[in-house]
Amino acid sequence: MSIQLKHAELAKTLPPRLLRFFARFPPQALSSSTSTTLNTSSSDPNANLSEDSGQTIDPSPAYENPFRNTKNPITGKWHEPIYSLRRQADLVKLAEVHGVQELLPFTTKAPEERTRKREEFGLRVKGTGVGQRVKGKWWERNMRGRLEKRRQAMLDMPQMIQTWKQLGHGRGWKKFPK
């Protein structure tokens, strides 16, 4: 009874959007308290469920995950999720603020799933991996060579000045810098 009071108090603090979601799709954690037991002593696979066995089975929910695509078992046609990715993200954010995020069904917008994917795949930006290079603009691709050429010219500048002075300030000079 105290559990029901706790849930009632929690429901009073939730925004209407989350209340509507949980009314339509009750959390699996709350419905798991009504788990059934399976009779494994009988050899008949169609044996009725029994209370005397110790093995429990969580019943499948009365609904499919509203955040995932579902396939019609008769026609084989796939149906879009009930909640779009944007609405999923909004619900997850609301649930996080109110501390009931673990009651939501599995979604790719959950923070745990996002961090797991970030760890698994990394940033996935082309050119950030080992041995990869970003294409870049023309001036970005040629900047390294241009700066190296400029650095080499600065190192050779004292010798160039000396040669310029020896030849007579431009007479017979063929190595004008570009």
Side-chain angles (χ1 to χ4, degrees):
M1 191 67 157
S2 65
I3 295 174
Q4 291 176 348
L5 290 174
K6 180 181 171 187
H7 292 309
E9 290 296 320
L10 178 65
K12 289 179 185 176
T13 63
L14 292 179
R17 200 166 176 189
L18 276 175
L19 284 176
R20 282 192 304 269
F21 178 81
F22 287 134
R24 189 171 176 192
F25 305 103
Q28 184 69 21
L30 296 180
S31 62
S32 66
S33 62
T34 61
S35 65
T36 59
T37 57
L38 178 65
N39 182 5
T40 56
S41 62
S42 175
S43 62
D44 182 19
N46 296 325
N48 292 336
L49 294 174
S50 172
E51 296 293 328
D52 57 338
S53 172
Q55 187 177 6
T56 61
I57 294 178
D58 288 334
S60 62
Y63 59 88
E64 296 289 331
N65 187 342
F67 297 151
R68 302 202 121 189
N69 293 336
T70 55
K71 186 176 183 180
N72 187 326
I74 298 168
T75 62
K77 182 180 178 183
W78 283 93
H79 296 283
E80 295 295 319
I82 297 170
Y83 287 89
S84 67
L85 291 174
R86 180 184 59 83
R87 290 172 66 200
Q88 287 178 35
D90 291 343
L91 277 173
V92 167
K93 288 175 196 170
L94 264 178
E96 261 188 309
V97 168
H98 294 281
V100 293
Q101 196 271 326
E102 57 276 345
L103 296 178
L104 291 176
F106 174 79
T107 176
T108 56
K109 299 296 181 177
E112 307 87 36
E113 182 64 17
R114 285 179 178 258
T115 55
R116 186 192 66 78
K117 279 204 172 178
R118 174 59 65 92
E119 290 170 359
E120 182 180 345
F121 296 118
L123 290 175
R124 296 294 281 257
V125 176
K126 185 173 180 179
T128 57
V130 176
Q132 295 181 349
R133 288 179 45 196
V134 181
K135 179 184 174 191
K137 303 280 185 186
W138 178 85
W139 63 271
E140 292 172 320
R141 294 192 305 259
N142 295 327
M143 187 186 311
R144 183 174 288 140
R146 185 179 298 116
L147 289 175
E148 178 58 32
K149 191 174 178 182
R150 192 177 296 165
R151 188 184 71 76
Q152 190 61 38
M154 291 301 289
L155 291 174
D156 295 342
M157 192 59 68
Q159 177 63 33
M160 185 183 287
I161 292 171
Q162 184 67 28
T163 310
W164 173 269
K165 287 180 179 177
Q166 285 177 353
L167 291 176
H169 299 292
R171 286 188 293 271
W173 183 257
K174 302 287 188 219
K175 294 192 223 171
F176 285 101
K178 295 183 181 179

